[in-house]
Amino acid sequence: MQEKILILDFGGQYNQLIARRVRDQHVYCELKPYSTGMEEIRAFDAAGIIFTGGPNSVYDESAPHVNPAIFALGVPILGICYGCQLMAQQLGGQVSPAQSDTAREYGKTPTHYDTACRLFAGLAEESVSWMSHGDYISKLPDGFTACAHSTACPTAAICDEARGFYGVQFHPEVAHTEQGAEMLRNFLYNVCGVSGDWSMGSYKDSAIASIREKVGNRRVLLALSGGVDSSVCAALLAEAVGSQLTCVFVDHGLLRKDEGDEVMAAFARWDIRLIRVNAQERFLARLAGVTEPEEKRKRIGEEFIRVFEEVGKQLGAVDFLAQGTIYPDVIESGKGDAAVIKSHHNVGGLPDFVDFKEIIEPLRLLFKDEVRALGRELGLPDYLVNRQPFPGPGLAIRVLGEVTEEKLVTLREADAVFREEIARAGLSGAVNQYFAVLTDARSVGVMGDGRTYDRVLALRAVTTDDFMTADWARIPYEVLDRASSRIVNEVSGVNRVVYDITAKPPGTVEWE
Ligand code: XMP
């Protein structure tokens, strides 16, 4: 039996981060909406429960509450920010709006902790915490004491040690709270009494067992793109139900150098049916004469579906369609009260042309770095597991203007050189996405004693947390210099290299 922490989501912006931090401590957790029913909560059998922050004030008419029965479960609870105020209020305390600006706290706040409290045991008594609240707890519920304070707030943390209830006004999950990780660890290990049994090795074993149980002797189909998520999903299924698994890898000819072969090689060791559809010509034909980026995307998407549909028909009905959906996709799609950030293509948009009975999503509860760790655990090579994001339309949106085979060859070679030089400089981990773009411009150059009139190639490298905004990477000049001179010398058709120094916004990561 695995130890589990239940995180009840009240719609705060850091809620995913809380889940990440708990898993960082080797404890399995799940984020569920605050409205989750008592039956489900009991069945979850948590070693501890965390209430997240949220945008509401507990006074709001529509303020979310929990079923009071949760306090009678005999399970320790940690309330964070709104979660802390909610617990105080529901247990008979009082929450009041801060009277003055000084009592409201936003940002880094020097805080004093009572280290006799189990939550703060072993910590320094003074350190900075990250606050963000306009209300404060003005009267403690019965059984509670204040166990941390700041200049403005006498109840920066509250506790009822006998029942194992703790509340913090600040956010221990954000990096600005200096001892936040230790506090969470104290809650998990000292209060909830977990031993820390969450590891990728144990997850792998239990995931394989549950896939085997669910699938039995039936058939599974997976569209393998070569991206991290679908590759790890394929490896996990291969390990679990290898001979019943069919993977379809559509090679649209818009991949980077050697990518198609690498994907095939990575799966050679499993006894699975792996179908590589060499559809390069079909895609090129569909792209002939097309220069508008959105039209390229549309045609590639349509052609992809057509190819997959044809393969699906040949295969006949399958029992399961597998997808590499990961946890952030699930959460972002509007679980809990958090605003819908984007509707990810993996969730909700199932292909309706494949004849299948059920969907299977074995990575549904994993974060991206956990997916990578699982991939390593399954023996996938580093080049697949650590792969940077690569857009579905592939090189078609990095060849500006019309896509032709000749341009693709040029771009692939130049891109490979750039990637090699980034890797050689040890920058692969520091830069989040980097690639070459073949522009439609030509420029005059001189090579040897002769005039050249060739293409301009752009190098793009960005640093970013979420790809919604990005900055251009400050790559050392020497690295750019080596990449540039190698490309001009080794790649025919390119005689000038430029480096893109545009942030997003106003630029985007890709050029098209
Ligand atoms: P942009 O160019 O929008 O890119 O700043 C942000 C991130 O999204 C990737 N990207 C795509 N991924 N299909 C995809 O699957 C697309 O059409 C697409 N366009 C951009 C881009 O590589 C970057 O990681």
Side-chain angles (χ1 to χ4, degrees):
M1 273 309 285
Q2 187 175 50
E3 299 162 342
K4 292 184 281 189
I5 295 292
L6 173 64
I7 303 173
L8 285 186
D9 184 355
F10 290 90
Q13 35 174 334
Y14 305 122
N15 295 353
Q16 270 203 49
L17 203 53
I18 301 174
R20 279 255 24 95
R21 295 286 175 258
V22 171
R23 293 204 190 169
D24 284 347
Q25 303 281 353
H26 308 291
V27 182
Y28 181 75
C29 64
E30 282 184 37
L31 192 64
K32 290 180 185 277
Y34 71 86
S35 52
T36 304
M38 278 314 293
E39 213 166 291
E40 188 177 336
I41 291 177
R42 274 194 201 95
F44 189 79
D45 192 24
I49 298 174
I50 297 177
F51 296 168
T52 74
N56 295 81
S57 161
V58 289
Y59 304 113
D60 294 347
E61 231 167 74
S62 58
H65 282 75
V66 287
N67 187 326
I70 205 166
F71 297 108
L73 287 174
V75 175
I77 298 176
L78 171 65
I80 296 175
C81 201
Y82 178 84
C84 169
Q85 294 165 4
L86 181 78
M87 177 160 65
Q89 195 208 34
Q90 285 199 239
L91 290 175
Q94 199 161 16
V95 176
S96 308
Q99 292 303 320
S100 65
D101 280 346
T102 49
R104 274 180 215 120
E105 293 177 304
Y106 295 98
K108 294 180 184 175
T109 311
T111 308
H112 179 97
Y113 311 100
D114 175 1
T115 54
C117 166
R118 280 191 289 174
L119 195 61
F120 304 124
L123 271 60
E125 286 189 343
E126 307 275 344
S127 67
V128 166
S129 70
W130 178 260
M131 300 273 191
S132 178
H133 65 103
D135 294 343
Y136 77 110
I137 296 160
S138 48
K139 179 177 161 283
L140 293 170
D142 285 346
F144 276 77
T145 53
C147 52
H149 64 266
S150 62
T151 312
C153 181
T155 48
I158 59 171
C159 66
D160 176 344
E161 300 242 47
R163 285 189 283 178
F165 293 163
Y166 298 81
V168 291
Q169 200 50 88
F170 51 85
H171 288 272
E173 70 278 18
V174 307
H176 302 299
T177 295
E178 285 171 355
Q179 304 184 93
E182 290 84 350
M183 295 172 198
L184 285 175
R185 188 177 172 80
N186 276 346
F187 176 68
L188 299 169
Y189 287 77
N190 292 357
V191 180
C192 303
V194 300
S195 62
D197 64 0
W198 167 247
S199 71
M200 269 309 134
S202 64
Y203 179 79
K204 186 189 89 176
D205 296 339
S206 67
I208 288 173
S210 71
I211 291 169
R212 283 189 184 142
E213 190 184 335
K214 180 166 183 177
V215 171
N217 56 8
R218 294 180 287 169
R219 295 202 299 158
V220 187
L221 177 67
L222 170 78
L224 179 63
S225 71
V228 178
D229 303 340
S230 74
S231 296
V232 175
C233 187
L236 185 63
L237 288 163
E239 200 67 37
V241 290
S243 57
Q244 295 141 253
L245 174 66
T246 302
C247 291
V248 179
F249 171 46
V250 177
D251 185 346
H252 51 24
L254 305 166
L255 299 170
R256 289 165 293 190
K257 192 178 178 186
D258 300 332
E259 206 162 27
D261 296 340
E262 285 173 1
V263 171
M264 295 302 287
F267 291 94
R269 69 190 180 83
W270 281 288
D271 177 25
I272 60 174
R273 185 165 173 208
L274 173 49
I275 301 172
R276 178 178 186 166
V277 186
N278 290 313
Q280 294 90 327
E281 277 163 24
R282 288 178 64 156
F283 279 87
L284 267 185
R286 287 283 287 155
L287 290 169
V290 180
T291 55
E292 212 280 313
E294 283 313 299
E295 184 62 23
K296 289 186 193 176
R297 280 193 171 79
K298 199 172 133 231
R299 290 190 183 213
I300 292 167
E302 283 168 2
E303 196 61 20
F304 188 87
I305 289 181
R306 227 167 268 163
V307 174
F308 202 66
E309 190 172 26
E310 286 171 18
V311 180
K313 276 205 190 103
Q314 286 163 19
L315 291 172
V318 292
D319 302 291
F320 294 92
L321 181 73
Q323 294 210 320
T325 314
I326 69 171
Y327 205 33
D329 307 335
V330 177
I331 302 179
E332 277 176 8
S333 296
K335 284 272 178 128
D337 270 8
V340 176
I341 300 160
K342 57 177 178 182
S343 63
H344 194 277
H345 63 274
N346 272 342
V347 178
L350 302 178
D352 51 13
F353 50 86
V354 182
D355 195 3
F356 65 96
K357 296 193 191 82
E358 265 183 78
I359 189 92
I360 181 169
E361 296 175 311
L363 310 180
R364 210 182 150 74
L365 296 172
L366 299 185
F367 288 100
K368 191 82 180 184
D369 55 333
E370 293 175 321
V371 172
R372 293 188 206 277
L374 177 60
R376 271 180 230 113
E377 198 68 43
L378 287 159
L380 281 177
D382 269 358
Y383 60 76
L384 264 194
V385 166
N386 294 330
R387 185 158 276 181
Q388 53 173 312
F390 185 64
L395 299 184
I397 55 169
R398 293 178 183 171
V399 165
L400 307 191
E402 187 183 6
V403 181
T404 64
E405 180 57 24
E406 176 226 338
K407 284 172 158 180
L408 285 171
V409 170
T410 305
L411 177 58
R412 251 185 229 120
E413 292 303 320
D415 183 71
V417 171
F418 186 41
R419 287 196 286 144
E420 260 171 50
E421 290 304 328
I422 292 274
R424 191 190 307 191
L427 294 172
S428 320
V431 181
N432 302 96
Q433 201 173 2
Y434 47 97
F435 52 88
V437 175
L438 189 64
T439 77
D440 237 1
R442 283 174 184 272
S443 82
V444 173
V446 53
M447 275 188 118
D449 288 328
R451 174 188 191 269
T452 59
Y453 186 55
D454 281 331
R455 281 189 201 282
V456 179
L457 182 107
L459 301 179
R460 177 73 159 147
V462 296
T463 52
T464 174
D465 286 331
D466 55 8
F467 294 92
M468 308 292 279
T469 62
D471 198 3
W472 58 277
R474 270 47 168 187
I475 290 179
Y477 284 161
E478 306 76 60
V479 180
L480 290 173
D481 183 40
R482 265 198 306 278
S484 160
S485 55
R486 275 193 59 197
I487 288 169
V488 172
N489 281 294
E490 295 173 25
V491 182
S492 66
V494 176
N495 69 351
R496 189 177 297 265
V497 175
V498 297
Y499 186 55
D500 181 353
I501 54 166
T502 320
K504 171 185 179 176
T508 53
V509 175
E510 304 287 348
W511 276 37
E512 284 198 336

